[in-house]
Amino acid sequence: AFLTANVLLKKTDGMFVVTNLLKRYYEKKGIKVIKTGTGNGLDIDSFTKKIDPKTPCFNALFGGRLHPAKGIFDLVTIIKEVVQKNKQSFSSSKNYTLGIMGPGDDKTINKLLEVIKTNNLSQNIFLLGDKNAKERWGLYRNSDFFLFPSYAEGCPQVVLEAFAANKLVIAYDLPEYRDAFRKYIKTGQLIIFKKGDTKAIAKYILSIKNKKFHFHNKLSDYSWDKIVENEWKAFRKART
């Protein structure tokens, strides 16, 4: 199927991609590439609705498929470090909290719950399950920042959603981010760390615990209408 797709792509006027890595990959295969760098669109209609008053609040939020490659066990290590360093600051009535939203298989979920319990973090880390767009929007808005220590990504939807919600994003340093999310690195909305350096992330989180961040992204810039408009412009430019 993959080889068939490559043959068909060679017959097209151009293929849209959002990173230079993908651009180089397909050009080597003789496929014409149109780079837009705009990423995917978001369901902004759901993102403009009022937040359900029952939506919980968290210090940190993670979203994505629950899989080791997404850094879900690194999340436990990071939060454990933060909690231990602040055990005198956070009483039992005010725990430092992380919400984890996203689907996963039973084996991985049970393993993650076991690791959370073993590290005495059951009052700090909460598995929320899969969420629809409206529910995710409320969780982004009710969290201080988005924590996403994934080891391999392209242009992750959840990170785009966090940007649209004007939240700080903390992640590992991936080449795809330096390409697709370059502007967010420049504005300081995306803070990146060496893969696996959980101590550095924990130290950074501790340094910003009382700091408020203000970003000014326009939600309309993430709409599918805007994305299609940008891609159409790129397509017309490529054909001239």
Side-chain angles (χ1 to χ4, degrees):
F2 186 76
L3 293 175
T4 301
N6 281 339
V7 171
L8 293 174
L9 286 171
K10 289 179 180 179
K11 297 180 180 296
T12 65
D13 290 324
M15 176 183 180
F16 290 110
V17 299
V18 297
T19 69
N20 283 318
L21 290 172
L22 285 174
K23 184 174 185 292
R24 289 192 294 268
Y25 173 81
Y26 284 108
E27 284 180 338
K28 286 181 180 178
K29 295 184 176 295
I31 298 168
K32 185 176 180 181
V33 175
I34 303 170
K35 183 177 182 291
T36 64
T38 53
N40 295 320
L42 304 180
D43 180 10
I44 64 170
D45 289 338
S46 295
F47 277 22
T48 54
K49 294 178 180 178
K50 290 183 64 176
I51 299 174
D52 188 327
K54 296 181 181 179
T55 302
C57 297
F58 297 100
N59 297 106
L61 181 69
F62 168 90
R65 180 170 57 93
L66 303 189
H67 187 278
K70 295 288 185 180
I72 58 173
F73 296 106
D74 288 24
L75 291 169
V76 179
T77 305
I78 293 166
I79 297 303
K80 181 180 180 180
E81 180 80 6
V82 171
V83 170
Q84 286 181 339
K85 295 291 185 182
N86 284 277
K87 58 184 177 182
Q88 294 180 341
S89 301
F90 298 120
S91 64
S92 58
S93 62
K94 189 179 180 181
N95 292 314
Y96 199 93
T97 57
L98 164 70
I100 298 178
M101 59 179 182
D105 60 82
D106 291 341
K107 182 179 179 180
T108 302
I109 291 173
N110 290 334
K111 177 63 177 178
L112 182 55
L113 287 170
E114 179 186 336
V115 173
I116 291 170
K117 184 178 180 180
T118 300
N119 285 279
N120 299 313
L121 294 172
S122 297
Q123 297 302 310
N124 304 95
I125 302 177
F126 302 88
L127 271 61
L128 309 173
D130 200 8
K131 299 295 179 183
N132 61 38
K134 181 182 177 181
E135 292 169 329
R136 292 197 305 276
W137 180 241
L139 288 164
Y140 288 120
R141 295 293 298 276
N142 277 7
S143 301
D144 295 334
F145 60 89
F146 191 68
L147 181 58
F148 194 66
S150 180
Y151 281 82
E153 291 293 334
C155 188
Q157 187 85 355
V158 288
V159 172
L160 284 171
E161 291 176 348
F163 289 149
N166 285 308
K167 292 298 174 178
L168 176 74
V169 177
I170 300 172
Y172 285 146
D173 187 356
L174 305 181
E176 293 83 358
Y177 294 168
R178 290 185 176 274
D179 188 351
F181 298 149
R182 183 169 58 253
K183 73 173 183 178
Y184 299 103
I185 296 174
K186 288 182 178 179
T187 61
Q189 189 173 2
L190 174 58
I191 307 297
I192 50 179
F193 294 86
K194 181 181 177 181
K195 286 184 183 181
D197 197 347
T198 56
K199 285 189 176 295
I201 292 179
K203 183 177 180 180
Y204 177 75
I205 290 172
L206 290 165
S207 74
I208 63 169
K209 65 178 182 179
N210 295 318
K211 187 174 181 180
K212 298 295 182 181
F213 293 89
H214 301 283
F215 304 104
H216 306 285
N217 299 316
K218 294 180 180 179
L219 188 58
S220 58
D221 287 341
Y222 298 85
S223 70
W224 273 111
D225 287 342
K226 187 67 174 180
I227 300 303
V228 170
E229 178 187 335
N230 290 338
E231 291 190 344
W232 176 241
K233 287 179 179 178
F235 179 72
R236 291 181 65 184
K237 183 179 179 180
R239 296 198 69 186
T240 57

